[in-house]
Amino acid sequence: MSYALELKDLRKNFGQTEIIRGVNLAVKAGERVAIIGPNGAGKSTLFNLISGRFAPTSGDVFLNGTQLKGKKPFEINRMGLSRSFQITNIFPKLSVFENLRCGLLWSLGYKYTFFKFLADLDDANARTDELMEMIKLDNKRDVLAVNLTYAEQRALEIGITIAGGANVILLDEPTAGMSKSETTRFIRLIKEVTVGKTLLTVEHDMGVVFGWVHPISKIRPGDIEMLVLDNLHAFYGKSHVLHGVSFSVAQGEIVALLGRNGSGRSTTAKAIMGSVDATGSVLWRGQQIRGLKPFEVAHLGLGYVPENRDIFPSLTVHQNLLLGQKGSGKGSRWSFEDMYTLFPRLRERQHTEAGVLSGGEQQMLTLCRSLMGDPDLIIIDEPTEGLAPKIVELVAQFLKTLRDRGISVLLIEQKLTIAMRISDRALVMGHGSIVFDGSPAALKQDSYIRKEWLEV
């Protein structure tokens, strides 16, 4: 059978980290297929491989039966494949009409000689007018794209995407950032303008997914290693604290780091973040980060919540959260509204100075401030220490929410019941070394480890 788009054992490595692991997918002409999975699962990387932005480490991509290996993005586009991006990709200083005509002229300039192109320019203008009407922006003909609403800019991008006549279209989170009403109108628009075309879309809104696509493909994080420690030693002056610590944290995994006070758990976190002297290896997504400064580590996508609830007491809750944003220009997965939904008490206290909050409220704030930096892995040191049972349960739900969104968690905790209930894997430290690495169920059965290294 011939497919509009076919992927065969597609793989992609970045350094030593394998992001795409043997993806196979076959999409028939005219099908609408959604790819779902948590943030960081590799969905956008897959789109970049299909469209030629990245070269695969191995495997093949076929477009209408033709292999795409070695072809550049513009060559793949001219073969009949076009895509949109997570971040709206338009010409902000050009009008709606000019944006759409650019897409049409690109295809005409390829298909015709220069003189034939000039002769057909009037036809291109007429087709641009038709496109504007199709995407419901004919009343914004001469408006600069930068002055459109967000939903209108997304509609314009779809218009540019289909302007070149592609029969296979990739849409990367087309409804991200839209209200429910905007999403409804936008999906109706996509259905209208892509009749008969093959669509592959990345989408997080399950209402959208089940409302307009056919089969669904899910990319699972699996056991992709995000953080790898190998033979890590750490020192405070001449005091040797960590002795050859080695373990890993996979994508979307909650790993509990357990042990008595003084066992080296907090020092391990500080060594990862670069705030104590260390030797050995700390790999983040295959990149060696040991030796980097803490702010450099943070900007790579690691978050850290220390045990001392380090807040800015003279600033309000909202201002503390604002300071958590990195300002990298990358669209964050988290908003102020998300924080206030996770912990409604923070919404009530958003204009209150953080210094007068209760201990539980300060812990909520510390967790959320780190999350506002949009980390892919977050290290949390003793988040339930000194908290009431009701607040402990809120923190536990918070950690589960992180995992559901594909964020890895290294949880340093003393409360064995909490760690065993929510973690995927348990590590036990004793005298600066890892003495146990296994499932919570296995730890529950290992009375020697619990008695020797955990129980007081």
Side-chain angles (χ1 to χ4, degrees):
M1 179 181 293
S2 178
Y3 295 100
L5 183 66
E6 188 174 11
L7 314 182
K8 293 184 177 180
D9 195 28
L10 200 62
R11 297 175 182 271
K12 180 61 179 178
N13 288 23
F14 292 97
Q16 297 179 358
T17 303
E18 189 174 39
I19 302 299
I20 301 296
R21 312 183 68 184
V23 172
N24 292 281
L25 178 65
V27 184
K28 299 175 184 178
E31 279 189 323
R32 304 172 187 269
V33 176
I35 296 177
I36 63 176
N39 287 307
K43 305 182 300 297
S44 293
T45 298
L46 189 66
F47 269 24
N48 287 330
L49 292 172
I50 296 170
S51 61
R53 294 191 77 198
F54 294 162
T57 301
S58 63
D60 297 296
V61 180
F62 294 88
L63 178 64
N64 297 315
T66 301
Q67 191 179 54
L68 300 184
K69 183 177 292 184
K71 296 191 180 297
K72 298 177 180 178
F74 77 88
E75 294 173 321
I76 294 173
N77 177 261
R78 285 176 168 170
M79 292 173 63
L81 182 144
S82 189
R83 69 165 294 185
S84 68
F85 295 84
Q86 285 185 17
I87 299 175
T88 308
N89 195 18
I90 56 178
F91 299 104
K93 297 302 179 65
L94 297 183
S95 68
V96 169
F97 179 86
E98 291 165 336
N99 266 272
L100 292 172
R101 191 168 64 168
C102 281
L104 281 168
L105 295 182
W106 161 255
S107 62
L108 289 176
Y110 164 64
K111 295 176 180 177
Y112 299 102
T113 66
F114 178 70
F115 294 105
K116 177 66 173 173
F117 162 72
L118 289 178
D120 285 357
L121 189 56
D122 287 341
D123 179 56
N125 291 338
R127 288 174 60 190
T128 302
D129 286 331
E130 291 174 3
L131 262 178
M132 278 193 304
E133 185 174 354
M134 187 183 300
I135 63 174
K136 318 299 184 190
L137 290 180
D138 46 314
N139 63 334
K140 301 290 180 72
R141 184 183 194 280
D142 298 316
V143 175
L144 295 183
V146 70
N147 294 325
L148 299 176
T149 67
Y150 176 72
E152 289 171 341
Q153 289 182 351
R154 296 298 278 181
L156 177 59
E157 184 180 32
I158 295 299
I160 296 171
T161 300
I162 67 174
N167 55 29
V168 177
I169 297 175
L170 313 182
L171 302 178
D172 197 348
E173 298 193 26
T175 65
M178 292 187 185
S179 66
K180 186 174 180 179
S181 60
E182 288 174 332
T183 296
T184 300
R185 291 194 297 270
F186 192 66
I187 293 305
R188 187 184 305 122
L189 172 65
I190 292 177
K191 286 181 177 180
E192 292 174 0
V193 301
T194 60
V195 172
K197 297 183 183 295
T198 304
L199 264 67
L200 185 63
T201 183
V202 167
E203 183 55 72
H204 286 287
D205 188 330
M206 291 298 99
V208 171
V209 168
F210 290 110
W212 73 293
V213 302
H214 300 147
I216 298 175
S217 297
K218 181 174 181 179
I219 294 182
R220 297 174 179 86
D223 57 353
I224 300 173
E225 292 181 335
M226 302 288 281
L227 179 68
V228 179
L229 275 61
D230 184 27
N231 195 31
L232 189 67
H233 294 255
F235 307 82
Y236 291 111
K238 294 182 179 181
S239 179
H240 193 168
V241 180
L242 299 184
H243 301 269
V245 172
S246 298
F247 65 84
S248 64
V249 181
Q251 185 174 330
E253 183 181 34
I254 297 179
V255 175
L257 186 57
L258 308 168
R260 296 172 179 162
N261 287 330
S263 61
R265 296 168 304 148
S266 294
T267 300
T268 300
K270 292 173 182 177
I272 294 169
M273 296 303 298
S275 59
V276 299
D277 292 333
T279 64
S281 179
V282 180
L283 296 180
W284 169 247
R285 297 180 182 271
Q287 175 186 348
Q288 180 62 253
I289 63 172
R290 186 187 57 76
L292 296 183
K293 297 177 180 178
F295 76 88
E296 295 173 321
V297 175
H299 276 284
L300 290 174
L302 283 88
Y304 177 43
V305 180
E307 60 182 326
N308 58 359
R309 299 172 190 168
D310 202 2
I311 58 171
F312 296 96
S314 63
L315 299 182
T316 66
V317 166
H318 193 83
Q319 289 167 336
N320 267 271
L321 293 178
L322 185 62
L323 286 175
Q325 294 179 323
K326 290 193 178 74
S328 62
K330 169 189 169 187
S332 176
R333 287 166 285 192
W334 304 94
S335 65
F336 288 102
E337 183 60 31
D338 289 325
M339 302 301 101
Y340 297 144
T341 300
L342 286 169
F343 293 117
R345 182 59 175 162
L346 293 184
R347 185 193 303 276
E348 299 172 15
R349 307 279 270 170
Q350 61 181 295
H351 301 302
T352 302
E353 288 186 0
V356 302
L357 299 179
S358 68
E361 291 167 342
Q362 289 185 1
Q363 185 64 73
M364 296 174 195
L365 178 57
T366 306
L367 292 168
C368 289
R369 189 184 62 190
S370 182
L371 203 57
M372 288 295 285
D374 201 22
D376 295 312
L377 182 148
I378 187 168
I379 303 169
I380 306 177
D381 196 348
E382 299 283 6
T384 64
E385 179 67 24
L387 299 185
K390 184 177 180 180
I391 305 301
V392 169
E393 187 58 34
L394 284 176
V395 172
Q397 292 301 318
F398 169 85
L399 296 175
K400 289 179 180 179
T401 299
L402 299 189
R403 178 174 55 195
D404 291 343
R405 294 206 185 186
I407 296 174
S408 306
V409 178
L410 180 58
L411 172 64
I412 298 172
E413 183 57 81
Q414 276 197 316
K415 289 185 174 63
L416 193 59
T417 54
I418 291 294
M420 298 284 276
R421 180 158 61 90
I422 68 172
S423 62
D424 302 297
R425 192 155 52 91
L427 306 172
V428 178
M429 291 195 75
H431 301 317
S433 300
I434 301 294
V435 296
F436 177 89
D437 183 344
S439 68
L443 179 58
K444 186 176 181 180
Q445 296 297 319
D446 197 326
S447 58
Y448 170 78
I449 289 292
R450 295 201 318 275
K451 181 178 180 180
E452 189 72 17
W453 302 108
L454 293 176
E455 296 174 1
V456 178

